[in-house]
Amino acid sequence: MNTDRMTLLSACTKGGLATVVKIHATGALKQRLISFGLMRGAEVRMLECAPAKSTFEIKVGNVSLALRKEEAALIEVTDVR
């Protein structure tokens, strides 16, 4: 994956590290993500991907989160490594 292009968090692979550019969620979901530290500039590590279950486990700072594929697809990231 090209590291200077923006992509969606749902496209990242296990063990990958990325920086959040924008959250396209609205309302309560956006507020919940922000409350867990998932905001512009935050570094996110992809811990687990379970495509069969459509879930992703990520780590933001000291917080581990489980996201549905639809939620991860609302998070735009860059600097994927």
Side-chain angles (χ1 to χ4, degrees), residues 1-68:
M1 193 174 299
N2 193 339
T3 58
D4 61 348
R5 298 189 123 195
M6 287 188 236
T7 189
L8 299 176
L9 185 60
S10 58
C12 294
T13 57
K14 182 177 175 179
L17 188 64
T19 303
V20 176
V21 175
K22 184 170 175 98
I23 298 176
H24 295 281
T26 59
L29 175 59
K30 186 170 187 172
Q31 290 305 311
R32 192 169 344 121
L33 295 173
I34 290 170
S35 73
F36 286 121
L38 197 60
M39 60 188 77
R40 185 177 20 185
E43 278 200 345
V44 178
R45 177 166 305 277
M46 183 66 72
L47 299 177
E48 291 291 331
C49 303
K53 294 182 181 179
S54 295
T55 59
F56 298 87
E57 184 180 349
I58 62 169
K59 187 161 185 147
V60 182
N62 293 328
V63 179
S64 292
L65 299 171
L67 298 175
R68 294 178 191 96

